């Protein structure tokens, strides 16, 4: 583990392990003070055969990554910078559903631990009062035919105890931390424990159902209750420019269903685009 002489309250990994349900994530946490990115290390570990349920948590990241090549600010001891490895028996095209489970787990965890009612901006931003508090980065390792999943790395970034003044200027009107929301420091261990335990329950149920359509439908229904995207006019920004659409639902695979100006339904895959409200980020 890299040296860390900075003074801040370090995470108590033993406490987290003691509160995790026996199974998937329990006793599988790799903890680092400072690394480039928990997603990068998790991908490296997954390529070296580390099992499903391996969790990487860092106090700080020097090259934290967001979706679509963006950087992710990850200052020491002030957030949750965490990734985990999964090895579900599903096709690559079904991966967005795993992101949906992860976003739902994070929203539910914040609701239970902090007592707030967060929303989810499709596919994976957790929003409070139009400001982003948590982002999720899903990365895949595929088999040689590029169709089945060898591993998935789910990376979760939550602004926990960052002060607004610490956000870079371009984020000041877009991001918020849990500390800003509740007006006092938030216990990071409690949030991590809740996310991993909720995720474990939902994911185990999905695996048990063999990711069948009834289970997916039920889960998407629950996700939809948190959605701040569905029912909204949105801008879809992709390689072929910007289009205005109306978001009307989510498919069982986790794609966004939108309607274009001619009333024709289209499906959008999260890997390709970023979405915005018509008048701003939300
Ligand atoms: C996004 O909203 O664009 C996704 C942000 C994901 C950030 C997390 S922090 C932990 C993990 N490691 C990374 O490099 N990125 C993810």
């Amino acid at each position: 583990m890299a040296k860390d002489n900075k003074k801040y309250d370090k995470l108590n990994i033993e406490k987290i392990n003691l509160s995790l349900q026996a199974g998937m994530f329990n006793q599988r946490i790799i903890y680092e003070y400072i690394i480039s990115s928990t997603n990068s290390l998790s991908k490296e570990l997954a390529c070296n055969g580390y099992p499903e349920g391996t969790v990487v948590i860092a106090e700080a990241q020097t090259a934290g990554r967001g979706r679509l090549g963006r950087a992710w600010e990850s200052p020491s001891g002030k957030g949750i910078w965490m990734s985990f490895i999964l090895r579900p028996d599903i096709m690559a095209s079904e991966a967005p559903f795993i992101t949906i489970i992860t976003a739902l787990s994070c929203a539910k965890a914040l609701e239970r631990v902090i007592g707030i009612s967060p929303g989810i901006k499709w596919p994976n931003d957790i929003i409070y009062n139009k400001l982003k508090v948590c982002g999720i980065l899903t990365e895949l390792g595929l088999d040689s035919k590029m169709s089945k999943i060898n591993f998935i790395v789910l990376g979760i970034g939550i602004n926990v105890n960052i002060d607004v003044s610490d956000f870079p200027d371009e984020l000041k009107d877009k991001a918020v931390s849990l500390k800003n929301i509740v007006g006092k420091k938030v216990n990071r261990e409690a949030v991590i424990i809740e996310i991993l335990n909720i995720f474990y329950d939902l994911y185990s149920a999905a695996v048990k159902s063999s990711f069948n359509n009834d289970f997916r439908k039920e889960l998407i229904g629950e996700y939809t209750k948190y959605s701040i995207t569905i029912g909204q006019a949105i801008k879809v920004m992709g390689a072929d420019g910007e289009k205005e659409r109306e978001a009307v639902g989510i498919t069982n695979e986790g794609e966004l269903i939108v309607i274009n100006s001619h009333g024709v339904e289209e499906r959008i895959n999260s890997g390709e685009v970023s979405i915005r409200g018509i008048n701003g980020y939300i």
Side-chain angles (χ1 to χ4, degrees):
M1 193 185 287
K3 267 200 167 160
D4 181 11
N5 298 324
K6 284 198 188 141
K7 280 215 169 15
Y8 57 87
D9 291 337
K10 309 269 188 307
L11 283 165
N12 182 339
I13 300 297
E14 203 36 51
K15 180 174 154 195
I16 296 175
N17 269 322
L18 285 171
S19 305
L20 288 177
Q21 304 182 55
M24 198 164 162
F25 297 123
N26 188 234
Q27 302 294 345
R28 291 247 171 83
I29 298 176
I30 294 168
Y31 172 61
E32 300 284 343
Y33 290 143
I34 182 159
I35 56 174
S36 61
S37 148
T38 56
N39 262 44
S40 301
L41 177 59
S42 299
K43 284 202 302 190
E44 205 179 304
L45 298 175
C47 289
N48 286 320
Y50 274 63
E52 173 160 278
T54 303
V55 183
V56 177
I57 301 179
E59 294 287 3
Q61 300 182 115
T62 52
R65 290 180 285 114
R67 285 182 66 226
L68 307 168
R70 298 183 190 119
W72 183 265
E73 289 292 319
S74 326
S76 311
K78 296 202 167 177
I80 293 172
W81 325 127
M82 156 170 99
S83 306
F84 50 83
I85 299 171
L86 301 176
R87 296 188 184 277
D89 187 16
I90 57 175
M91 306 301 286
S93 57
E94 298 173 292
F97 183 70
I98 305 286
T99 305
I100 294 280
I101 302 184
T102 312
L104 186 57
S105 307
C106 292
K108 279 176 173 288
L110 296 186
E111 203 170 51
R112 285 188 202 165
V113 178
I114 322 288
I116 58 171
S117 302
I120 305 176
K121 174 172 172 265
W122 181 87
N124 52 10
D125 289 351
I126 311 295
I127 304 291
Y128 183 78
N129 255 346
K130 302 197 171 186
L131 299 169
K132 177 161 165 173
V133 66
C134 161
I136 296 163
L137 178 65
T138 307
E139 296 187 293
L140 307 183
L142 300 180
D143 70 354
S144 52
K145 291 189 190 134
M146 302 297 277
S147 57
K148 282 214 85 171
I149 286 174
N150 181 8
F151 65 80
I152 301 190
V153 167
L154 266 313
I156 299 173
I158 307 184
N159 303 322
V160 182
N161 292 318
I162 303 181
D163 289 306
V164 191
S165 52
D166 294 336
F167 283 123
D169 284 346
E170 67 276 16
L171 290 185
K172 284 200 165 84
D173 59 345
K174 294 193 183 77
V176 70
S177 72
L178 297 178
K179 182 180 169 195
N180 298 151
I181 297 171
V182 295
K184 57 177 189 211
K185 264 185 100 176
V186 168
N187 180 297
R188 290 183 298 156
E189 285 95 353
V191 179
I192 293 173
I193 292 162
E194 204 63 34
I195 292 175
L196 293 178
N197 279 336
I198 295 173
F199 183 90
Y200 178 57
D201 284 342
L202 295 176
Y203 182 72
S204 315
V207 170
K208 203 167 157 206
S209 80
S210 307
F211 291 87
N212 74 29
N213 264 328
D214 285 345
F215 179 82
R216 285 166 186 265
K217 211 170 161 191
E218 193 183 315
L219 202 115
I220 296 288
E222 215 176 323
Y223 173 95
T224 304
K225 287 187 207 148
Y226 290 86
S227 174
I228 57 165
T229 305
I230 296 165
Q232 299 295 315
I234 56 166
K235 275 187 205 157
V236 180
M237 294 142 87
D240 54 346
E242 202 177 288
K243 311 177 249 188
E244 289 194 10
R245 296 287 185 266
E246 190 192 340
V248 293
I250 313 259
T251 67
N252 276 358
E253 287 71 40
E255 296 158 316
L256 185 67
I257 307 171
V258 295
I259 296 192
N260 70 18
S261 53
H262 306 290
V264 178
E265 209 173 274
E266 298 170 351
R267 278 146 197 246
I268 299 180
N269 188 298
S270 55
E272 299 152 8
V273 298
S274 152
I275 65 165
R276 294 278 180 281
I278 289 293
N279 298 315
Y281 173 60
I282 302 297

